[in-house]
């Protein structure tokens, strides 16, 4: 009767040691480079130099084959590293998408040349990616994208407009979901393909969009009839939907879905540890229980991915439960501070809190909305 | 899962599938044939001795091994002291006492205990299924020493007014015959063990409720459509599914190591998480079932009542949140260290 299994995976000594290695690396690197921890750093805090340092440590491209410059390590090892980076608020935004999802798509679907050319650079922290899914008229309804790739004798001609492309201005490539056949209303998921697009090509236009926190991390990316080599087609023509679903499992299941604002919690505790009301302590117990549970779920999915299972629905669980958790976390921190007026918080804590409060609405939108996650779960349960 | 555990789970499944239904739950009497048949089959297949050491005639399984069995029994809404007997026999076995060949029940809620010669007197609270057993195992403290005592039922049973799921009784006992009495070994924490059993049972019951919701909403039609086609209903059910999934994951550390059944942190986490989930699942599942779910005849309410009973036992989740919060604050660690320790 078990509907959604999250097998129990144990963190062995090897992983525990790896945690400690990452911790001490971060401590020294933060100190010697004067890096300040940031909340939601996987989106807001890009530092190509830092990404390169991670690459030098061998902590990017963890699961990729050695012959393409990867490390042939496990997804569990990658999981431990990403957790430690998030918890430290490390500036990981530059490489995050490449390391999380784009590299894996290339390993699965790319040509031999693409793997040889790109994967080593992802692993060394020198090649960054953006996600080309959403369009002005296609948000939740991703299959309705209009960006079109026309096949000619010797190339593909790509025309369209992608939007909300996080980090495109810093990135070298974008994996673009495009139509290669006209939309068939009866079979909306057919006729889509994925393309590996070099963002430096002539005809690619990247326009920043300022978000409500006045930062420019996402963009509009326009393709004006750009010419792509034949091998820019990633995977199989017409199989774009099936491919994108796998990519989304990687995008949705990681610990960034519930650890984006961890440093706010940690700083709050450090500051008010000895001034907490009984109510605050009680709320803290709840946070610990929920957070630990989410970690178990996400860790379990990392294992499923490693075992080549398809945890698409489990990923939707982590995404949705993680978003709910983080929204509540910020409200709970307000409640926990009932004895200490906001004005009396340290300026660094206040700043983290303000950032979190402003940024939190994005959590349940990026990577697919809450409503869409619940739709995926309902479908799996046979309700639709 | 080990092969042996799979076979045992299969045997257990067959027995429960054949014998447990809502009729049994509503007509639970020691003299009913349905109850007697079920009991005979469970006892004769030695399922109550799964945790008993092999040299005492048991299967020698561990606490982590029997998680799926506790879960299964809760999915079936098994209204008998099956799990209580498994745990009682386990405690006896840990004390090198032979297991019982009958159902027994247990409690650790005792007051005014007095022992004279081979007789026990005192007040015992919240004993599940006392009407269906002849012997009781208790953990009790006498002069700063905890004991585990098995004694014969007697005296007056008072049925508690509780959530009307499993019957629970208070017992005022005077000079009842002790069968065995031992000092409780240091490493065993009976209360945490019982709480963890409840967390696993709660997870099993919530899985069953999810199944009932899906089935009911896929059959019942309103406005010319099955309820399952309404997005609001899908939203309710997906939320139930989320809570069920999180509850299952919160039990993870128990699967890690038998000792975690006694450990405060690994007890608190699932106690809290399943407690939170239970509240949501009870409310949402009743909502999607309409009036039908509010009847005695339809089985949903058996499971929601059980959840309500369990989540309020041994302190509710809010009480345990406070314990966990303090456990963290009292250790001089940062939160991440505490979580990873
Ligand atoms: C910070 C941020 C970063 C992003 N980064 C990227 C990126 O790098 N690359 C990229 O491609 N995209 C990116 N996105 C876009 C993101 O994937 C979309 O915002 C998301 O898919 C929702 O689309 P939309 O914003 O157009 O909202 P809409 O789809 O218009 O939805 C609006 C509301 O309607 C609801 N809704 C829509 N359809 C249904 C339905 N069938 N049932 C019930 N409710 C429904 C939605 O849940 C939502 O509440 C980013 C978004 C944000 C906020």
């Amino acid at each position: 009767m078990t509907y959604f299994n999250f097998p129990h995976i144990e963190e062995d000594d090897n992983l525990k040691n790896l945690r400690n290695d990452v911790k001490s690396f971060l401590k020294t690197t933060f100190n010697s480079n004067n890096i300040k921890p940031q909340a939601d750093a996987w989106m807001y805090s890009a530092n190509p130099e830092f990404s390169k340092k991670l690459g030098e440590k061998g902590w990017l491209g963890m699961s990729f084959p050695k012959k393409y410059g990867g490390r042939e390590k496990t997804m569990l090892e990658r999981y431990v590293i990403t957790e430690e980076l998030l918890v430290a608020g490390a500036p990981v935004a530059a490489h995050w998408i490449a390391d999380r999802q784009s590299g894996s798509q290339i390993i699965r679907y790319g040509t031999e040349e693409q793997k040889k050319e790109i994967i080593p650079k992802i692993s060394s922290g020198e090649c960054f990616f953006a996600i080309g899914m959403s369009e002005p008229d296609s948000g939740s309804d991703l299959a309705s994208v209009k960006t079109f790739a026309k096949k000619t004798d010797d190339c593909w001609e790509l025309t369209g407009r992608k939007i909300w492309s996080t980090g495109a201005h810093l990135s070298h490539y974008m994996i673009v979901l495009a139509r290669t056949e006209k939309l068939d209303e009866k079979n909306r998921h057919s006729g889509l393909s994925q393309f590996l697009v070099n963002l430096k090509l002539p005809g690619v236009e990247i326009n920043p969009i300022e978000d409500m926190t006045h930062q420019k991390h996402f963009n509009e990316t326009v393709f004006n009839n750009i010419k792509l080599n034949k091998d820019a087609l990633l995977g199989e023509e017409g199989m774009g939907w099936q491919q994108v679903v796998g990519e989304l499992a990687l995008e949705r299941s990681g610990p960034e879905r519930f650890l984006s604002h961890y440093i706010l919690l940690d700083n709050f505790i450090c500051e008010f540890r000895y001034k907490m009301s009984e109510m605050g302590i009680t709320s803290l117990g709840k946070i610990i229980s929920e957070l630990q549970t989410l970690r178990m779920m996400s860790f379990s999915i990392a294992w499923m991915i490693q075992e080549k299972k398809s945890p698409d629905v489990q990923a939707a669980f982590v995404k949705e439960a993680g978003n709910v958790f983080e929204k509540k976390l910020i409200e709970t921190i307000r409640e926990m501070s009932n004895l200490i007026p906001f004005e009396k918080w340290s300026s660094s804590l206040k700043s983290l809190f303000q950032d979190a409060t402003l940024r939190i609405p994005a959590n349940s939108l990026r990577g697919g909305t809450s409503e869409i996650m619940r739709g995926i779960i309902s479908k799996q349960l046979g309700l639709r | 899962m080990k092969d042996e555990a799979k076979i045992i789970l299969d045997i257990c499944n067959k027995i429960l599938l054949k014998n447990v239904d809502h009729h049994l739950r509503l007509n639970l009497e020691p003299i009913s044939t349905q109850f007697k048949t079920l009991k005979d089959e469970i006892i004769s297949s030695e399922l109550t001795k799964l945790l008993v050491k092999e040299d005492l005639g048991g299967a020698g399984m561990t606490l982590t091994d029997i998680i799926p069995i506790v879960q299964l029994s809760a999915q079936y809404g098994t209204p008998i002291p099956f799990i209580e007997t498994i745990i009682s026999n386990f405690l006896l076995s840990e004390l090198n006492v032979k297991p019982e060949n009958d159902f027994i029940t247990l409690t650790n809620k005792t007051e005014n205990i007095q022992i004279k010669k081979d007789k026990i007197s005192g007040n015992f609270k919240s004993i599940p299924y006392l009407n269906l057993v002849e012997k009781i195992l208790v953990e009790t403290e006498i002069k700063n020493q905890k004991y585990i005592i098995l004694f014969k039922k007697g005296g007056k049973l008072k049925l508690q007014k509780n959530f009307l799921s499993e019957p629970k009784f208070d017992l005022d006992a005077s000079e009842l015959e002790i069968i065995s009495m031992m000092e409780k070994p240091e490493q065993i924490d009976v209360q945490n063990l019982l709480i963890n059993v409840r967390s696993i049972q709660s997870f099993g019951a919530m899985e069953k409720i999810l199944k009932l919701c899906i089935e009911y909403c896929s059959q019942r039609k309103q406005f010319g459509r099955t309820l399952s086609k309404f997005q609001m209903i899908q939203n309710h059910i997906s939320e139930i599914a989320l809570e069920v999934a999180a509850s299952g994951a919160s039990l993870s550390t128990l699967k890690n190591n038998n000792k975690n059944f006694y450990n405060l942190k690994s007890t608190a986490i699932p106690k809290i998480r399943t407690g939170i989930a239970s509240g949501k699942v009870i409310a949402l599942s009743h909502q999607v079932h309409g009036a039908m779910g509010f009847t005695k005849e339809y089985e949903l309410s058996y499971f929601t009542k059980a959840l309500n009973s369990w989540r309020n036992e041994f302190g509710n989740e809010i009480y345990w949140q406070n314990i966990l919060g303090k456990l963290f604050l009292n250790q001089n660690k940062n939160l991440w260290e505490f979580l990873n320790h």
Side-chain angles (χ1 to χ4, degrees):
Chain A
M1 192 193 290
T2 296
Y3 287 93
F4 301 103
N5 212 359
F6 288 85
H8 166 67
I9 308 299
E10 213 175 319
E11 187 168 308
D12 60 17
D13 287 343
N14 168 34
L15 294 173
K16 288 196 173 94
N17 293 337
L18 180 58
R19 260 189 208 288
N20 290 333
D21 292 348
V22 182
K23 261 192 206 102
S24 50
F25 163 80
L26 290 175
K27 207 170 166 192
T28 23
T29 313
F30 275 33
N31 280 339
S32 55
N33 295 275
N34 200 16
I35 294 173
K36 278 225 173 76
Q38 271 222 42
D40 219 1
W42 62 277
M43 190 144 130
Y44 281 93
S45 185
N47 179 337
E49 280 307 305
F50 179 81
S51 296
K52 212 170 147 193
K53 284 200 168 66
L54 278 183
E56 282 160 13
K57 285 300 287 184
W59 289 339
L60 296 179
M62 293 285 289
S63 61
F64 305 155
K66 276 195 178 139
K67 66 171 174 172
Y68 305 123
R71 323 286 179 183
E72 290 186 5
K73 300 279 181 182
T74 65
M75 287 305 281
L76 298 182
E77 286 169 295
R78 179 178 180 274
Y79 181 89
V80 162
I81 292 170
T82 51
E83 267 201 346
E84 292 299 327
L85 291 168
L86 291 163
V87 163
V92 292
H95 69 261
W96 195 258
I97 290 168
D99 180 63
R100 176 179 70 187
Q101 61 196 84
S102 321
S104 299
Q105 287 296 91
I106 294 171
I107 292 285
R108 264 185 100 171
Y109 303 112
T111 64
E112 195 57 27
E113 286 92 274
Q114 285 162 346
K115 289 184 208 171
K116 283 195 180 130
E117 162 76 15
I118 297 173
I119 298 295
K121 290 192 203 148
I122 293 181
S123 305
S124 63
E126 292 171 294
C127 180
F128 310 139
F129 270 73
I131 302 168
M133 297 186 195
S134 305
E135 295 182 7
D137 291 331
S138 304
S140 299
D141 183 9
L142 185 58
S144 72
V145 291
K146 294 196 188 78
T147 295
F148 202 91
K150 199 170 121 200
K151 194 159 39 173
T152 65
D153 286 345
D154 57 346
C155 69
W156 292 94
E157 289 173 1
L158 184 72
T159 302
R161 191 179 287 266
K162 292 291 169 183
I163 199 167
W164 320 124
S165 10
T166 300
H169 57 301
L170 300 167
S171 298
H172 305 89
Y173 293 94
M174 177 184 274
I175 295 182
V176 172
L177 182 70
R179 290 230 141 258
T180 39
E181 272 170 55
K182 283 218 181 80
L183 175 69
D184 169 7
E185 273 302 343
K186 289 204 192 85
N187 192 0
R188 306 180 79 238
H189 295 160
S190 71
L192 290 162
S193 306
Q194 283 193 310
F195 290 89
L196 180 61
V197 179
N198 183 338
L199 292 175
K200 310 295 174 214
L201 286 177
V204 178
E205 206 184 294
I206 298 174
N207 306 314
I209 303 173
E210 208 170 323
D211 77 4
M212 63 180 265
T213 72
H214 298 238
Q215 302 223 29
K216 292 177 188 159
H217 58 87
F218 56 21
N219 304 272
E220 176 199 46
T221 311
V222 188
F223 305 109
N224 296 313
N225 194 21
I226 62 163
K227 308 267 179 292
L228 300 174
N229 288 339
K230 275 261 148 30
D231 70 354
L233 174 72
L234 189 61
E236 225 178 294
E237 186 179 341
M239 293 301 283
W241 185 260
Q242 288 75 359
Q243 292 177 203
V244 100
V245 167
E247 186 180 342
L248 285 167
L250 299 169
E251 181 172 344
R252 289 171 176 160
S253 62
E256 66 270 41
R257 300 302 171 187
F258 48 86
L259 290 176
S260 289
H261 294 284
Y262 181 84
I263 67 163
L264 167 64
L265 174 65
D266 191 41
N267 276 255
F268 180 84
I269 293 170
C270 288
E271 198 158 319
F272 296 127
R273 189 169 190 129
Y274 302 105
K275 293 185 199 158
M276 236 175 245
S277 65
E278 279 300 308
M279 191 188 104
I281 296 170
T282 305
S283 301
L284 194 53
K286 185 178 188 183
I287 291 171
I288 293 174
S289 166
E290 294 196 330
L291 179 54
Q292 202 65 336
T293 301
L294 280 162
R295 294 181 68 208
M296 290 167 193
M297 294 168 93
S298 185
F299 192 54
S300 182
I301 296 181
W303 174 81
M304 293 182 219
I305 293 171
Q306 179 174 303
E307 297 296 305
K308 310 258 180 297
K309 301 179 191 296
S310 305
D312 310 339
V313 186
Q314 282 90 342
F317 272 97
V318 167
K319 167 86 173 66
E320 177 55 7
N323 291 161
V324 172
F325 169 77
E326 285 216 307
K327 281 196 181 174
K328 255 190 324 195
L329 174 68
I330 292 168
E331 285 306 308
T332 309
I333 285 178
R334 289 183 62 237
E335 287 167 16
M336 286 200 289
S337 62
N338 62 337
L339 297 181
I340 315 116
F342 187 58
E343 296 74 34
K344 298 205 171 131
W345 297 19
S346 71
S347 61
S348 59
L349 182 62
K350 249 196 285 194
S351 156
L352 279 172
F353 179 76
Q354 280 162 339
D355 282 351
T357 309
L358 283 173
R359 291 171 186 178
I360 204 71
N363 280 35
S364 45
L365 300 172
R366 60 186 181 191
T369 68
S370 294
E371 291 74 14
I372 296 304
M373 294 309 109
R374 283 158 191 254
I376 292 172
I377 297 166
S378 304
K379 194 164 181 190
Q380 182 71 17
L381 292 172
L383 299 174
R384 351 190 290 171
Chain B
M1 204 189 296
K2 292 177 218 150
D3 283 351
E4 191 204 356
K6 262 192 200 138
I7 294 167
I8 290 174
L9 192 64
D10 197 43
I11 294 172
C12 190
N13 191 32
K14 281 197 185 118
I15 296 176
L16 298 180
L17 179 67
K18 181 173 142 228
N19 295 294
V20 177
D21 59 19
H22 202 46
H23 179 267
L24 173 70
R25 297 182 199 123
L26 295 179
N27 302 282
L28 195 60
E29 291 289 341
I31 47 161
S32 87
T33 14
Q34 200 180 356
F35 170 69
K36 277 192 193 149
T37 315
L38 172 60
K39 178 174 159 179
D40 284 350
E41 290 192 21
I42 287 180
I43 300 280
S44 63
S45 55
E46 309 255 290
L47 287 173
T48 56
K49 296 181 192 167
L50 296 177
L51 292 175
V52 173
K53 292 176 201 162
E54 282 173 52
D55 54 7
L56 289 173
M61 290 171 85
T62 67
L63 288 167
T64 61
D65 292 337
I66 67 144
I67 291 175
I69 290 175
V70 178
Q71 184 184 340
L72 185 78
S73 149
Q75 287 173 349
Y76 274 104
T78 313
I80 52 165
F82 171 36
I83 303 301
E84 283 78 2
T85 307
I86 291 182
I87 300 296
S88 302
N89 277 337
F90 165 68
L91 291 171
L92 290 172
S93 160
E94 290 294 285
L95 297 160
N96 288 317
V97 176
K98 275 197 148 188
E100 292 290 318
N101 270 324
D102 195 353
F103 280 159
I104 30 180
T105 186
L106 82 168
T107 184
N108 69 339
K109 300 176 190 98
T110 64
E111 283 169 15
N112 309 318
I113 299 300
Q114 284 181 3
I115 310 277
K116 265 192 214 144
K117 289 200 180 142
D118 289 341
K119 308 279 182 199
I120 184 167
S121 307
N123 314 109
F124 304 89
K125 309 267 176 206
S126 290
I127 317 170
Y129 300 113
L130 190 54
N131 55 334
L132 301 178
V133 302
E134 293 309 320
K135 291 174 190 166
I136 309 159
L137 192 77
V138 294
E139 181 208 37
T140 188
E141 194 169 314
I142 305 167
K143 292 186 190 136
N144 294 327
Q145 171 63 49
K146 283 193 171 163
Y147 291 90
I148 290 181
I149 304 171
L150 181 68
F151 63 94
K152 279 199 179 149
K153 180 168 92 173
K156 237 183 142 212
L157 322 190
K158 271 184 288 179
L159 181 61
Q160 272 189 354
K161 177 152 176 50
N162 66 3
F163 290 97
L164 305 172
S165 51
E166 81 252 277
K168 280 189 194 148
F169 297 85
D170 293 341
L171 176 70
D172 296 330
S174 149
E175 310 222 321
L176 297 180
E177 187 186 329
I178 293 176
I179 301 157
S180 36
M181 172 168 169
M182 281 93 19
E183 288 188 2
K184 182 192 76 76
E186 191 74 43
Q187 75 275 13
I188 293 182
D189 187 313
V190 175
Q191 168 132 323
N192 288 354
L193 172 61
L194 295 180
I195 291 174
N196 283 315
V197 168
R198 287 303 192 220
S199 297
I200 302 165
Q201 287 177 308
S202 299
F203 170 51
M206 284 189 269
E207 288 185 294
K208 169 72 176 192
I209 291 175
L210 174 58
K211 181 165 185 270
L212 288 175
C213 288
I214 295 168
E215 285 170 358
Y216 186 78
C217 293
S218 305
Q219 282 159 17
R220 166 100 176 148
K221 278 190 181 161
Q222 287 293 286
F223 300 98
R225 293 194 275 167
T226 60
L227 297 178
S228 64
K229 298 295 167 216
F230 295 106
Q231 200 175 40
M232 199 66 182
I233 295 292
Q234 292 170 2
N235 186 44
H236 288 339
I237 298 179
S238 63
E239 178 137 7
I240 293 175
L242 270 166
E243 292 302 316
V244 174
S247 297
S250 76
L251 299 168
S252 201
T253 40
L254 298 179
K255 298 178 187 162
N256 209 347
N257 188 332
N258 293 307
K259 285 191 191 131
N260 288 345
F261 274 81
Y262 307 133
N263 175 285
L264 194 57
K265 184 172 128 195
S266 44
T267 300
I269 288 171
K271 166 74 178 161
I272 296 167
R273 194 63 192 83
T274 56
I276 295 169
S278 300
K280 291 188 189 167
V281 168
I282 292 165
L284 290 168
S285 61
H286 276 292
Q287 191 61 25
V288 302
H289 272 87
M292 181 57 80
F294 198 62
T295 62
K296 182 177 161 187
E297 288 304 320
Y298 183 78
E299 64 178 342
L300 173 70
S301 62
Y302 178 82
F303 292 92
T304 57
K305 285 186 288 197
L307 283 181
N308 261 324
S309 165
W310 295 337
R311 74 184 179 131
N312 286 302
E313 240 178 354
F314 304 109
N316 64 21
E317 65 274 12
I318 316 289
Y319 174 85
W320 276 87
Q321 284 167 211
N322 191 268
I323 293 181
L324 185 58
K326 284 189 176 138
L327 183 70
F328 158 60
L329 290 173
N330 292 338
Q331 299 184 7
N332 239 343
K333 291 192 181 115
N334 71 36
L335 180 58
W336 197 241
E337 277 176 284
F338 177 77
L339 293 177
N340 286 311
H341 189 66

